[in-house]
């Protein structure tokens, strides 16, 4: 049976279509989820896509966190469902306290879009098990508020527990502490990533095909996971 | 933000059509009764009856930009003096910006000279032209200006420029899928440019990024003539199923008029009349309240809501609110249907409750659309709006034409007082039309006589080498990444090519690969020297930029940026440019489908260079066939052959070189041969389809040298070039490299395709010449007998300029010096190109953490790092041929090492070894001095 992966659309979500396409290319069935509906429609995993949910008013992700669908996402994540937050989705996961820390304004104060090399540091997560430890991948980064910050104790804990999933290599595009591009929760089922793997899934439109690995990882994870 | 429509309340007094309207509690309009009675000035409202009874009252028409005779005309049309609201409406609808009163007589040529096209579904006069690209799909595109607001308030001016053109595209029934932004600023090092440029770029990015539209190209041009009048043009591309095409006609009396989107505020009042239709003088900064403020989030919701309404076939007509706001939308929708309209103005949701009727009518608040809806579908419309969290309010209804068959009247009440009663057509179609006086500028003959071909030119290899490095670092030719990386080019996942490619290419149909290529170009200096040729040259360049991708050009849009039409010299420039563009389109066989005129781009007596900006759209049957501009890496030391297509003449007038080197502008611009451009486009499309081309890059500003450098740097692939024999000696190699002759393209052809390709050139009648080979391992651009410049040195010169001028892009915690960025720019292809020896180098190059520049939380250290990075970047180059800069630097970028090792291993074989010692040529003629 094909895995069904939900992609949430908030008002202001922009990369929801791209995330759905990536899910499809990886071989799963994308299921569109609506922010206002507290319902996951029986999906096996959820992607919170990039964009400017609710206009990024107040603070990025701060309002989306209260969307009816997020109650279900938080519950499901607690029960082990794989959840991937990309860019704005990462911000929402932090605001929802599914992940520690926060994403703040890029230190150079500009929006920046470039093709970025990442090093995958943790391959035990639901979203990165298709990679080799230390593997370098090329993924577009594009954000205005992607600077990851946390207090030193949290950062140390993330490092010690192997929860830094990916780091920027060859230049940090936004000033993130310790070059952090992606992190995971303790269980490894929730991953937040600032760059956009869904934009690196086709040779025609992306800088590489490296993004597919994130989506095939979750399929592998779901096959191995107890029903 | 969770927005909800105003509560929809039952209004017992209203006719059924208004039953769903969000009524203002105080107003329970008895439909017609109250209208005639309110005659006083009691609540400060100037009503129609009052206007009729006080004909002598003085009105501030001149302050609103109307002339005496125009005001008299209004009184004649109405048979009385206009009310305050009517006066406001006429002043904005009859402004230059809305009425095209000075340009109309010239713009007719676009229709008259247009070649017949069975693709055109909507043309000039609509919100945007619509072109069919397959049986099922059409695209719509248009470029528009937002120049004046962007000078006054750069961020919001530019942002709302993007917002405005996006709504034009949306109003045609299309989903917006990409934007482009041709930008022009004053001198790059002028202090005010440092205010305007970052704000404009952030505004274009801020709005477009938040809207989820990829930015796929544009221009960034600097010239002192734009110092007081930057040009911010914005282009949007949309796609629609052919049957979803929308109309703006307010047909069907009894249909409901719905205002959807943001609330109406006091922003942007008088934008078109005060800002866009007047010349800047001292104190222009006080006009900031005339600039609109954008909310891209609202626009994103508006887009999704509109598309859902279209697909459910819930709207009869739709019009966006842009310049002239509600006034323009109400009058245009009614006038185009010949119907009338009855509007209850107090129903318009307001941001500021104290707004007066004339302010509501004139407000240019953004993110609003006007819908015409059948009464039985109103509820479904309101429900869709609610789903997307946008306000939608029934504010009026469509009324029948007059009993005598004349078009209907637009009647607007404000709290039961009739404040507007006009024939809508009188505002839209009956505005003044001027055949303004025109005269060739007196200085033009002298200017044209002062030819750049007589200027001293570099005539030895060292000077030529220095010229190449200086030119590629000059503000107009340098790398624009500082600007373009502030734009999202990936969103929607259909961007096949984007800046710095010659065209943006967007996949339209994922199933078939059908897509379009788009380019916008202009050259104000050429147009200053000869506006007729200048317009044609802009058209030719955009056309060629589309053609190099392999696309077939099919349609044109234009944004005509000029000074004051009241200056006969400017008017002559305008007329000449329009004539050139119309003639050019006729010659190329592609129609102008829509565009925009921006006059009054002048401060005091100084007008900008006439700047026609031309956008060309082309079709690619399969975007997988597209050709990109960079030389491609080949494994195993293989290389491609480099051909120059077209003819190079001694054409330096108006060139970038003349400006950068001599601050010179004079002579006549390069010749333009549109028949040749057409042949070239045919050749490129055929060659792309059969895979003869590994790269193709247009030659324009900066000539061959610029294109070579760009093609080399794109993927870090060097080239070895031989100067053809007839360009040997004295300054002729310089002419070969820097002439800006039109109709030329640089292509690379994979081994085995040369014969077939050159035969194809012959078939299409395009002159060709083999000028060299790519050199994937050499790491340098070498022009045989002249110079050799390492790619690192080229890159450093090319990419350093904008960061040095506008700074602020290095994050404080960056862990590597600035140069490493360059490595990151092109990693895929580089990794692909890795030879076995290279791969051993790679890990150390990227292991930047080990350098001691590890991230830290201490600001002091961070600052030092930032400074270090800058110094490293701007440090003068001291070594040339064999760059060995790693010694003085903490972290040598991996590219440098790779290049060096390659150089040591393979000391740049002379061109002859590649078998091109004797340049071959097609039917290229000898260069002529013009």
């Amino acid at each position: 049976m094909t895995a069904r992966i939900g992609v949430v659309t908030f008002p202001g979500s922009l990369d929801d279509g791209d995330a759905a396409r990536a899910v499809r290319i990886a071989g799963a069935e994308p299921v569109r989820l609506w922010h206002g509906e507290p319902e996951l429609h029986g999906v096996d995993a959820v992607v919170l896509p990039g964009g400017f949910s609710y206009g990024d008013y107040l603070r990025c992700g701060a309002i989306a966190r209260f969307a009816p669908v997020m109650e279900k996402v938080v519950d499901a994540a607690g029960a082990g469902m794989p959840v991937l937050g990309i860019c704005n989705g990462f911000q929402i996961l932090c605001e929802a306290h599914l992940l520690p820390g926060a994403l703040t304004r890029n230190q150079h104060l500009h929006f920046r879009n470039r093709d970025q090399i990442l090093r995958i540091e943790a391959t035990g997560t639901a979203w990165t098990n298709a990679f080799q430890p230390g593997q370098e991948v090329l993924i577009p980064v594009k954000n205005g508020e992607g600077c990851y910050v946390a207090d030193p104790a949290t950062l140390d804990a993330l490092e010690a527990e192997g929860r830094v999933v990916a780091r920027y290599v060859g230049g940090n595009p936004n000033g993130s502490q310790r070059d952090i591009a992606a992190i995971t929760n303790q269980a490894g089922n929730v991953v937040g990533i600032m760059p956009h793997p869904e934009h690196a899934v086709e040779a025609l439109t992306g800088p590489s095909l490296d993004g597919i690995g994130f989506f095939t990882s979750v399929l592998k994870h779901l096959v191995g996971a107890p029903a | 933000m969770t927005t909800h429509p105003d509560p929809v309340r039952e209004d017992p007094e209203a006719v059924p059509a208004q039953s769903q309207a969000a009524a203002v509690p105080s107003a329970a309009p008895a439909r017609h009764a109250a209208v005639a009675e309110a005659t006083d000035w009691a609540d400060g409202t100037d009503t129609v009856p009052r206007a009729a009874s006080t004909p002598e009252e003085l009105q501030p028409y001149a302050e609103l930009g109307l002339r005496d005779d125009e005001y008299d005309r209004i009184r004649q049309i109405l048979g009385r003096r206009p009310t305050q609201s009517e006066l406001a409406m006429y002043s904005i609808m009859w402004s230059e910006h809305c009425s095209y009163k000075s340009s109309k007589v010239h713009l007719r040529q676009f229709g008259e000279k247009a070649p017949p096209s069975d693709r055109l579904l909507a043309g000039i006069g609509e919100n945007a032209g619509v072109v069919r690209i397959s049986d099922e799909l059409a695209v719509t595109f248009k470029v528009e200006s937002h120049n004046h607001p962007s000078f006054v308030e750069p961020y919001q001016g530019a942002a709302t420029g993007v917002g405005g053109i996006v709504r034009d595209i949306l109003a045609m029934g299309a989903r917006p899928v990409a934007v482009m932004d041709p930008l022009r600023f004053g001198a790059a090092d002028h202090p005010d440019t440092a205010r305007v440029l970052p704000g404009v770029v952030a505004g274009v990015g801020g709005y477009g990024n938040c809207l989820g539209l990829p930015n796929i190209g544009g221009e960034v041009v600097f010239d002192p003539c734009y110092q007081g009048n930057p040009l911010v043009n914005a282009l949007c591309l949309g796609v629609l199923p052919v049957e979803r095409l929308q109309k703006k006609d307010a047909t069907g009396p009894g249909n409901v008029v719905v205002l959807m989107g943001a609330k109406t505020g006091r922003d942007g009042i008088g934008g078109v009349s005060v800002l866009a239709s007047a010349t800047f003088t001292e104190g222009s900064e006080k006009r900031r309240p005339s600039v609109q403020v954008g909310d891209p989030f609202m626009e994103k919701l508006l887009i999704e809501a509109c598309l859902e309404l279209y697909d459910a076939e819930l709207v009869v007509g739709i019009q966006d609110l842009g310049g002239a706001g509600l006034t323009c939308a109400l009058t245009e929708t009614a006038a185009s249907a010949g119907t009338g309209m009855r509007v209850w103005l107090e129903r318009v949701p307001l941001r500021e409750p104290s707004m007066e009727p004339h302010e509501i009518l004139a407000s240019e608040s953004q993110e609003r659309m006007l819908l015409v809806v059948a009464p039985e579908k109103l509820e479904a419309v309101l429900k869709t709006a609610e789903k997307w969290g946008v306000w939608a309010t029934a504010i009026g209804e469509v009324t029948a034409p007059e009993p005598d068959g004349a078009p209907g009247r637009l009647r607007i009440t404000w709290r039961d007082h009739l404040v507007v009663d006009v024939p809508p057509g009188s505002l839209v179609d009956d505005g003044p039309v001027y055949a303004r006086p025109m005269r060739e500028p007196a200085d033009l003959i002298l200017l044209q006589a002062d030819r750049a071909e007589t200027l001293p030119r570099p005539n030895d290899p060292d000077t030529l080498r220095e010229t190449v490095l200086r030119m590629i670092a000059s503000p107009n030719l340098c790398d624009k990444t500082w600007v373009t990386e502030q734009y999202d080019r990936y969103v929607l996942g259909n961007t096949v090519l984007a800046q710095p490619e010659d065209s943006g290419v967007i996949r339209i149909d994922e199933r078939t690969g059908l897509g379009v290529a788009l380019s916008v170009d202009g050259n104000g200096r050429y147009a200053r020297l000869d506006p007729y040729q200048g317009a044609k040259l802009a058209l030719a360049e955009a056309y060629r930029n589309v053609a190099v991708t392999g696309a077939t050009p099919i349609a044109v849009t234009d944004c005509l940026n000029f000074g004051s039409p009241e200056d006969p010299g400017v008017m002559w420039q305008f007329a000449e440019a329009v004539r050139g563009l119309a003639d050019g389109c006729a010659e190329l066989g592609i129609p102008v489908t829509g565009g925009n005129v921006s006059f009054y781009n002048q401060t005091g007596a100084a007008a900008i260079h006439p700047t026609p900006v031309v956008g060309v759209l082309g079709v690619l049957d399969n975007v997988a066939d597209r050709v990109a501009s960079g030389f491609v890496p080949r494994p195993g030391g293989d290389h491609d052959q480099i051909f120059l297509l077209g003819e190079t003449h001694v054409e330096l007038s108006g060139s970038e070189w003349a400006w950068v080197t001599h601050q010179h502008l004079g002579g006549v611009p390069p010749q333009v041969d549109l028949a040749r451009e057409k042949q070239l486009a045919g050749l490129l499309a055929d060659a792309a389809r059969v895979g003869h081309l590994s790269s193709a890059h247009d030659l324009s500003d900066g000539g061959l040298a610029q294109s070579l450098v760009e093609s080399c740097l794109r993927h870090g692939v060097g080239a070895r070039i031989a100067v053809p024999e007839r360009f040997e000696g004295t300054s002729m190699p310089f002419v070969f490299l820097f002439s800006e002759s039109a109709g030329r393209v640089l292509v690379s052809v994979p081994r085995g395709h040369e014969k077939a390709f050159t035969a194809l050139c012959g078939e299409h009648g395009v002159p060709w010449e083999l000028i060299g080979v790519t050199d994937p391992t050499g790491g340098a651009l070498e022009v045989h007998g002249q110079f050799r410049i390492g790619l690192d040195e080229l890159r450093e010169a090319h990419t350093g300029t904008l960061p040095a001028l506008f700074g602020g892009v290095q994050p404080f915690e960056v862990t590597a010096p600035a140069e490493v960025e360059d490595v990151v720019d092109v990693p895929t292809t580089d990794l692909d190109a890795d030879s076995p020896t290279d791969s051993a180098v790679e890990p150390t190059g990227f292991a930047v953490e080990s350098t001691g520049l590890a991230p830290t939380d201490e600001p002091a250290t961070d600052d030092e790092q930032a400074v270090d990075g800058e110094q490293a970047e701007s440090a003068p180059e001291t070594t040339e041929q064999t760059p060995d800069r790693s010694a003085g630097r903490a972290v040598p970028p991996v590219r440098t090492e790779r290049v060096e090792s390659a150089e040591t291993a393979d000391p740049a074989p002379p061109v002859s070894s590649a078998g091109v010692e004797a340049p071959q040529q097609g039917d290229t003629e000898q260069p002529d001095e013009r």
Side-chain angles (χ1 to χ4, degrees):
Chain A
M1 204 184 76
T2 321
R4 301 173 75 244
I5 299 182
V7 176
V8 178
T9 299
F10 298 96
S13 288
L14 303 177
D15 298 312
D16 43 344
D18 301 65
R21 183 192 289 115
V23 165
R24 203 178 60 235
I25 287 173
E29 179 196 343
V31 177
R32 306 303 281 266
L33 303 176
W34 182 243
H35 71 110
E37 227 180 27
E39 180 55 63
L40 295 185
H41 297 287
V43 296
D44 303 305
V46 170
V47 177
L48 304 179
F52 294 72
S53 59
Y54 302 92
D56 272 357
Y57 292 135
L58 184 61
R59 205 170 56 230
C60 303
I63 300 173
R65 171 246 164 128
F66 293 104
V69 75
M70 282 304 293
E71 288 170 32
K72 299 289 175 188
V73 171
V74 171
D75 289 351
M81 179 185 280
V83 176
L84 177 67
I86 303 169
C87 194
N88 193 226
F90 188 5
Q91 294 162 342
I92 295 168
L93 290 176
C94 288
E95 289 288 342
H97 301 299
L98 287 174
L99 293 174
L103 283 313
T104 60
R105 187 97 189 263
N106 292 353
Q107 290 218 349
H108 46 72
L109 306 182
H110 294 282
F111 185 96
R112 178 173 284 177
N113 177 1
R114 62 163 54 159
D115 298 341
Q116 176 74 42
I117 295 175
L118 307 180
R119 187 171 53 241
I120 306 292
E121 306 243 308
T123 55
T125 81
W127 299 92
T128 51
N129 60 51
F131 297 103
Q132 299 301 312
Q135 186 176 340
E136 290 190 355
V137 297
L138 183 72
I139 306 278
V141 64
K142 48 167 209 183
N143 60 65
E145 306 198 17
C147 176
Y148 183 76
V149 295
D151 60 82
T154 304
L155 293 171
D156 290 343
L158 285 173
E159 306 262 15
E161 294 165 19
R163 289 165 54 195
V164 173
V165 174
R167 272 187 235 269
Y168 301 114
V169 172
N172 178 334
N174 46 36
S176 284
Q177 289 181 332
R178 304 193 192 182
D179 296 335
I180 289 175
I183 58 170
T184 185
N185 63 349
Q186 260 161 346
N189 63 314
V190 177
V191 170
I193 182 168
M194 211 56 216
H196 290 257
E198 81 281 16
H199 289 325
V201 295
E202 288 185 280
L204 199 57
T205 55
S208 74
L209 299 179
D210 294 344
I212 299 176
F214 290 85
F215 301 93
T216 52
S217 288
V218 76
L219 299 187
K220 215 165 120 189
H221 174 86
L222 289 170
V223 170
Chain B
M1 180 176 126
T2 45
T3 56
H4 292 285
D6 280 357
V8 174
R9 265 175 257 156
E10 199 67 24
D11 179 355
E13 300 277 343
V15 293
Q18 278 84 48
S19 66
Q20 297 290 332
V24 173
S26 65
R31 205 167 159 224
H32 301 293
V35 168
E37 288 163 19
T39 54
D40 59 22
W41 195 223
D43 64 351
T45 308
D46 189 19
T47 64
V48 169
R50 189 178 174 280
S53 64
T54 56
E56 303 309 321
E57 189 164 298
L58 295 177
Q59 296 194 281
Y61 62 87
E63 287 80 351
L64 290 171
L66 286 167
R67 297 177 1 170
D68 292 349
D69 55 334
E70 292 171 347
Y71 179 67
D72 291 342
R73 232 166 104 240
I74 296 168
R75 294 188 68 124
Q76 202 186 332
I77 289 168
L78 298 177
R80 56 175 164 80
R81 74 161 175 86
T83 65
Q84 191 182 11
S85 295
E86 289 166 342
L87 183 65
M89 292 172 75
Y90 278 101
S91 76
I92 51 188
M93 289 303 288
W94 285 12
S95 70
E96 186 63 59
H97 183 88
C98 290
S99 70
Y100 289 80
K101 57 188 169 189
S102 303
S103 54
K104 236 178 196 170
V105 294
H106 303 285
L107 297 176
R108 284 183 191 132
Q109 295 171 67
F110 289 143
E112 290 161 6
K113 294 181 182 172
S117 166
D118 51 0
R119 291 179 179 270
L120 200 60
L121 303 180
I124 295 169
E126 299 294 333
N127 285 306
V130 180
V131 189
R132 184 196 285 270
I133 58 167
S134 74
D135 289 343
E136 299 88 31
L137 291 171
V139 292
T140 173
F141 74 124
K142 190 167 119 174
V143 59
E144 231 178 41
S145 63
H146 225 222
N147 303 339
H148 295 81
S150 302
F151 177 65
V152 175
E153 212 299 288
Y155 185 96
Q156 291 297 346
T160 55
V162 174
I165 189 66
V166 167
R167 283 193 305 282
D168 275 338
I169 295 305
L170 178 63
M172 298 310 295
R175 173 178 280 282
V177 293
V179 293
M180 298 176 107
D181 58 330
L183 308 175
R184 287 176 167 73
F185 303 99
D189 54 359
H190 191 286
D192 199 48
T193 305
R195 170 187 74 94
V196 176
L197 182 141
V200 165
V201 170
V204 169
Y207 205 98
N209 295 344
C210 194
L211 219 45
L213 296 179
N215 188 311
I216 57 170
E219 300 174 279
V220 179
V221 178
F222 299 95
D223 191 290
C225 78
Y226 305 112
Q227 200 66 61
N229 291 84
L231 301 185
V232 175
N233 296 172
L235 179 149
C236 183
L237 168 73
V239 57
L240 66 154
V242 168
E243 71 278 359
R244 201 171 75 189
L245 181 64
Q246 299 293 315
K247 291 191 153 61
K248 64 180 170 190
D249 308 1
T251 49
N255 282 341
V256 187
V257 178
V258 175
L259 183 61
M260 184 165 86
K263 285 188 176 184
T264 299
R266 281 207 168 90
D267 50 330
I269 290 178
V272 295
S273 50
V274 178
L275 272 185
S277 302
T279 300
F280 277 143
T281 51
E282 293 277 323
S284 291
E285 66 281 357
K286 289 186 192 138
R287 294 184 183 161
R288 216 167 282 146
S290 296
V291 180
Q292 312 91 321
V293 177
D295 176 0
F297 173 57
M298 178 59 78
E299 181 126 322
K300 166 70 179 167
L301 301 178
L302 199 56
I303 291 172
E304 299 303 332
C306 283
L307 292 173
E308 224 171 278
L309 295 178
Y310 300 154
D311 285 336
E313 299 184 353
L314 293 176
V315 296
V316 174
I318 185 160
Q319 170 78 324
D320 66 298
L321 276 74
L326 203 50
T327 293
C328 180
L330 293 172
T331 54
E332 282 196 358
T333 51
S336 69
T339 51
M341 219 176 257
R342 173 72 177 84
V343 175
W344 288 263
L345 204 55
E346 67 278 358
R347 291 180 182 175
V348 173
L350 298 181
R351 224 177 279 160
E352 296 171 75
S354 62
M355 284 177 75
E356 295 183 46
H358 69 272
E359 293 179 307
I360 300 169
L361 286 165
S363 164
E364 296 186 0
S365 287
Q366 297 289 290
E367 295 94 24
R368 298 180 299 163
M369 302 290 280
L370 191 77
L371 320 177
V372 178
V373 179
E376 68 274 13
K377 291 185 173 167
L378 180 60
E379 201 178 327
V381 168
L382 298 181
K383 220 168 159 181
T384 303
E386 184 172 9
K387 174 187 168 189
W388 285 103
V390 294
W391 282 277
T393 314
I395 62 164
E397 70 168 12
V398 178
T399 57
E402 296 294 283
D404 62 358
R409 291 182 79 85
L410 172 63
R411 293 194 172 90
I412 302 177
T413 54
W414 169 250
R415 297 177 182 159
D416 301 347
H417 302 297
L418 183 67
V419 292
V420 173
D421 183 358
V422 296
S426 69
L427 288 108
V428 180
D429 304 317
D430 304 341
V433 174
Y434 298 131
R436 293 198 186 267
M438 305 187 290
R439 198 179 328 112
E440 184 181 308
D443 65 353
L444 194 59
I445 284 186
L446 288 175
L447 194 66
Q448 289 181 338
D450 178 19
R451 301 164 64 240
E453 286 76 10
T454 61
L455 298 169
R457 308 171 194 164
N459 55 13
D460 65 87
D462 285 347
T463 321
L464 197 53
R465 185 179 196 282
E466 180 274 328
T467 304
V468 170
L469 287 168
R470 192 161 40 79
M471 290 299 294
I472 61 170
S474 65
N476 286 338
L477 299 181
C478 72
D479 174 73
K480 302 299 190 299
T481 300
W482 188 91
V483 170
T484 57
E485 76 174 5
Q486 296 188 46
Y487 307 144
D488 184 349
R489 65 176 176 279
Y490 281 109
V491 64
L492 300 182
N494 287 313
T495 307
V496 177
L497 293 180
Q499 59 272 353
E501 298 291 338
D502 289 320
S503 285
V505 171
I506 292 285
R507 178 174 60 185
I508 298 291
D509 188 336
E510 243 176 279
R511 234 168 3 95
T512 62
L514 177 70
V516 298
L518 257 172
S519 179
V520 277
D521 293 284
N523 187 320
R525 285 201 286 262
Y526 290 166
R528 174 72 176 89
L529 298 179
D530 184 341
Y532 179 84
Q533 293 290 346
K536 277 189 167 184
L537 280 160
L539 173 66
E541 189 186 342
Y543 182 91
R544 201 181 321 123
N545 277 331
V546 164
V548 292
T549 67
T552 304
I554 58 166
V556 176
T557 181
D558 60 49
C559 190
L560 305 172
N561 305 280
F562 287 78
S564 166
E566 294 159 45
D567 175 340
V570 169
M571 210 52 225
W572 178 85
Q573 291 173 328
F574 178 78
E576 283 293 289
V578 170
R579 191 169 67 85
L581 191 54
D583 286 353
C585 287
E587 284 176 60
L588 290 173
I590 53 176
V592 174
T593 62
N596 163 253
V597 176
S598 173
F599 277 131
Y600 296 101
N601 291 291
Q602 68 182 68
T603 299
I608 60 164
H609 290 331
T611 312
V613 170
V614 181
V616 170
L617 178 136
V619 178
L620 273 159
D621 291 337
N622 187 353
V623 288
D625 294 338
R626 91 286 185 217
V627 178
S629 66
F631 294 143
V632 297
R634 298 278 175 208
D638 203 358
H639 49 72
D640 294 348
Q641 304 216 332
I642 299 173
F643 291 85
L644 178 59
L645 310 180
E647 292 169 48
T648 305
H649 306 283
V650 185
E651 295 182 304
L652 299 168
S653 290
S655 70
E656 203 57 46
W657 169 78
W659 181 256
V660 171
T661 308
H662 299 280
Q663 284 75 53
H664 179 276
L665 176 61
V668 292
Q671 277 181 337
V672 53
D673 178 351
L674 294 172
R676 170 63 56 76
E677 301 282 359
K678 223 172 153 175
Q679 293 167 325
L680 196 53
L683 164 69
L684 290 163
D686 281 356
R689 212 167 297 128
V690 293
H692 286 334
L693 303 175
S694 51
S695 76
H697 193 13
D698 157 67
L699 266 64
S700 53
D701 308 2
L704 176 62
Q706 177 73 10
S707 294
L708 278 170
V709 169
E710 288 174 349
S711 289
C712 284
L713 290 183
R714 193 81 178 98
H715 304 305
V717 174
R720 296 197 302 273
I721 302 298
V723 178
E725 209 174 306
R726 66 190 187 288
F727 287 103
E728 278 172 6
T730 64
S731 70
M732 287 312 283
F734 161 80
V735 170
F736 177 62
L737 288 171
F738 286 97
S739 162
E740 294 188 5
S741 296
R744 296 182 303 157
V745 171
L746 181 72
V747 299
S748 63
V749 176
R751 281 209 170 276
H753 288 261
E754 307 91 333
K755 280 212 170 91
F757 174 70
T758 51
L760 198 60
C761 290
E763 262 174 58
H764 285 273
V766 173
W768 57 271
E769 188 157 26
L770 178 63
I771 61 165
V773 294
T774 66
D775 185 8
T777 53
L781 170 63
E782 180 179 334
V783 177
H784 191 54
Q786 298 294 328
F787 58 78
R788 178 173 195 281
I789 312 179
L791 295 187
D792 270 2
E793 193 177 354
L794 288 173
R795 183 174 291 108
E796 188 161 312
H798 191 48
T799 57
T801 309
L802 292 190
L805 282 166
F806 303 106
V809 289
Q810 283 306 309
F812 303 143
E813 294 205 9
V814 71
T815 54
E819 284 77 7
V820 174
E821 266 179 57
D822 305 334
V823 178
V824 182
D825 273 342
V826 283
T828 6
T829 41
D830 247 25
L831 298 177
D832 291 343
D834 279 345
S835 64
T837 47
D838 291 332
S839 57
V841 181
E842 191 182 312
T844 54
F846 287 122
V848 286
E849 287 83 358
S850 65
T851 60
L853 293 176
T856 164
D857 293 332
E858 289 175 41
T861 321
D862 295 343
D863 287 343
E864 283 165 27
Q865 278 178 238
V867 170
D868 284 346
E870 272 178 40
Q871 285 173 344
E873 196 157 25
S874 58
E877 195 60 62
T878 46
T879 55
E880 289 184 353
Q881 293 283 10
T882 51
D884 179 16
R885 296 171 298 149
S886 54
R889 189 175 300 155
V891 191
V894 65
R895 168 88 35 72
T896 308
E897 296 187 7
R898 188 181 299 162
V899 166
E900 282 161 4
S901 58
E903 278 171 1
T904 333
D906 174 16
V911 171
S912 56
S913 72
V916 291
E917 64 273 34
Q920 307 168 21
Q921 33 176 299
D923 55 346
T924 308
E925 289 160 22
Q926 290 293 316
D928 56 335
E929 286 272 357
R930 289 183 51 224

